[in-house]
């Protein structure tokens, strides 16, 4: 498998780190990680495209070796989308954006608000903000599954997660899902990234800055933000890959997604959960490649 090349770039006046694989002259696949991962989380997928594509996986703001301000407001979605818009601008061409978890939120933001930069959108176990807010507010199963957000937003949660050599973070990371892929040298590398000064607080600030409201189980919210459907449309071709055993994001989160994405393809994967990219990299790469190759030029 080809090795990644580390790179640094200045985006909007701040230093960012990314990993790069493949052909410099190839079409760009931009891979956006979520919490609590970092750029190398995409290695297994990106390596499988390096022969034909220019693969870029940044450490997003607050993660890894990229800029990590400590102010909560620095992690509002317009700032996160602005970072990646600047990166795409530096690459000089429209890109296919691939997002997982929080990376999916930024990917949706790019596709909705900067459609001039995104040719195709691929989401892997991630959610569009409108259906997700609906379920967070409903007081039902997704509300219960998302109570960890309320914990993370509380003051001092980073200290609880880092205690005991990140015992709390590991417990949260697994959340009744298969974490067998995170062992040995890979686990050591993850802990090294989490240990960078201020990083864990910065990572959690993504949750603190989010305007999404989380109800208490059985207590629906009636005053949630009203989304303007016309502003939240994905105009480009959109592939959603969904590991059906995800216990953090439940299937009801994607009900009604087609109202926001006219050109939507959904692929369900049995026997995989939220960490599907690590559990089934060959399958994920195959689904992405088949979809991309089937699209018209």
């Amino acid at each position: 498998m080809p090795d990644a090349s580390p790179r640094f770039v200045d985006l909007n006046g701040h230093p960012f780190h990314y990993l790069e694989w493949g052909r410099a002259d190839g079409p760009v696949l931009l891979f956006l990680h979520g919490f609590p991962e970092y750029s190398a989380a995409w290695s297994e997928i990106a390596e499988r495209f390096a022969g034909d594509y220019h693969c870029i996986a940044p450490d997003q703001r607050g993660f890894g070796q990229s800029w990590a301000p400590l102010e909560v407001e620095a992690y509002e979605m317009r700032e996160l989308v602005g970072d990646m818009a600047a990166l795409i601008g530096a690459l000089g061409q429209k890109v296919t954006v691939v997002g997982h978890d929080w990376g999916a939120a930024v990917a949706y933001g790019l596709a909705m608000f900067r459609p001039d930069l995104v040719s195709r959108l691929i989401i892997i176990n991630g959610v569009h903000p409108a259906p997700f807010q609906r379920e967070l507010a409903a007081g039902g199963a997704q509300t219960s599954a998302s109570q960890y957000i309320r914990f993370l937003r509380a003051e001092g949660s980073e200290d609880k997660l880092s205690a005991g050599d990140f015992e709390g973070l590991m417990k949260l990371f697994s959340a009744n899902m298969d974490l067998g892929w995170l062992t040995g040298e890979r686990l050591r590398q993850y802990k090294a990234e989490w240990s960078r000064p201020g990083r864990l607080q910065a990572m959690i600030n993504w949750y603190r800055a989010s305007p999404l409201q989380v109800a208490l189980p059985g207590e629906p919210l009636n005053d949630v933000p009203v989304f303007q459907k016309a502003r939240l449309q994905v105009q480009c071709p959109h592939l959603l890959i969904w590991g059906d055993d995800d216990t953090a994001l439940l299937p009801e989160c994607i009900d009604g997604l087609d109202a926001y994405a006219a050109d939507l393809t959904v692929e369900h994967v049995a026997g995989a959960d939220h960490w599907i990219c690590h559990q089934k990299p060959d399958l994920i790469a195959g689904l992405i490649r088949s979809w991309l190759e089937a699209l018209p030029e």
Side-chain angles (χ1 to χ4, degrees):
M1 293 292 185
D3 292 330
S5 298
R7 301 281 188 258
F8 287 90
V9 64
D10 183 275
L11 301 178
N12 299 322
H14 304 291
F16 281 76
H17 168 262
Y18 66 90
L19 296 177
E20 181 179 48
W21 299 258
R23 295 172 40 199
D25 62 343
V28 176
L29 296 179
L30 177 64
F31 294 94
L32 303 181
H33 68 80
F35 177 93
E37 299 200 87
Y38 68 111
S39 54
W42 288 108
S43 295
E44 295 152 295
I45 305 298
E47 288 167 353
R48 287 162 169 78
F49 287 95
D52 304 298
Y53 291 87
H54 185 190
C55 300
I56 303 289
D59 289 332
Q60 295 204 75
R61 178 184 299 213
F63 289 81
Q65 299 178 63
S66 288
W67 185 53
L70 294 181
E71 299 81 10
V72 171
E73 59 270 21
Y75 296 90
E76 294 176 356
M77 187 53 62
R78 66 174 178 270
E79 304 292 344
L80 307 175
V81 171
D83 292 338
M84 294 303 104
L87 178 56
I88 297 171
L91 295 171
Q93 61 176 281
K94 294 182 76 168
V95 305
T96 296
V97 182
V98 186
H100 172 256
D101 188 78
W102 264 113
V106 178
Y108 271 123
L110 285 166
M112 293 185 299
F113 304 126
R114 293 300 309 270
D116 56 308
L117 301 178
V118 181
S119 58
R120 301 170 181 88
L121 176 66
I122 300 169
I123 300 295
I124 306 170
N125 283 75
V127 288
H128 185 285
F132 191 42
Q133 177 62 91
R134 180 194 67 217
E135 297 303 322
L136 289 176
Q142 183 60 58
T143 300
S144 296
S146 295
Q147 290 304 297
Y148 71 91
I149 296 176
R150 297 170 66 91
F151 164 75
L152 288 174
R153 286 173 169 173
E155 184 177 355
S157 62
E158 54 267 39
D159 298 326
K160 295 177 181 178
L161 293 184
S162 62
D165 193 28
F166 298 101
E167 180 180 359
L169 183 54
M170 289 297 295
K171 183 178 179 180
L172 181 70
F173 205 0
S174 59
N176 300 312
M177 293 182 281
D178 176 18
L179 213 61
W181 54 271
L182 188 58
T183 59
E185 177 60 18
R186 178 182 284 170
L187 177 58
R188 189 199 67 77
Q189 292 174 349
Y190 268 74
K191 288 183 176 179
E193 296 299 331
W194 299 337
S195 297
R196 294 180 185 275
R199 285 306 183 276
L200 198 51
Q201 177 182 342
M203 291 159 59
I204 293 171
N205 279 347
W206 283 54
Y207 290 93
R208 293 170 174 148
S210 171
L212 295 179
Q213 298 182 28
V214 185
L216 291 171
E219 301 181 18
L221 297 174
N222 298 313
D223 58 349
V224 296
V226 176
F227 290 102
Q228 298 178 24
K229 185 178 291 187
R231 293 191 67 242
L232 301 182
Q233 293 295 313
V234 175
Q235 300 172 22
C236 64
H238 177 7
L239 171 64
L240 173 68
I241 300 174
W242 194 264
D244 286 334
D245 294 343
D246 196 335
T247 59
L249 299 175
L250 306 183
E252 47 261 51
C253 288
I254 60 176
D255 289 345
L257 177 60
D258 55 351
Y260 297 89
D263 189 353
L264 174 65
T265 301
V266 180
E267 295 283 356
H268 286 270
V269 179
D273 58 42
H274 193 68
W275 309 115
I276 185 173
C277 294
H278 304 288
Q279 294 160 352
K280 296 182 179 290
D282 282 327
L283 176 61
I284 296 303
L287 289 172
I288 292 173
R289 187 179 292 277
S290 295
W291 181 75
L292 289 173
E293 292 177 349
L295 291 173
E297 293 294 334

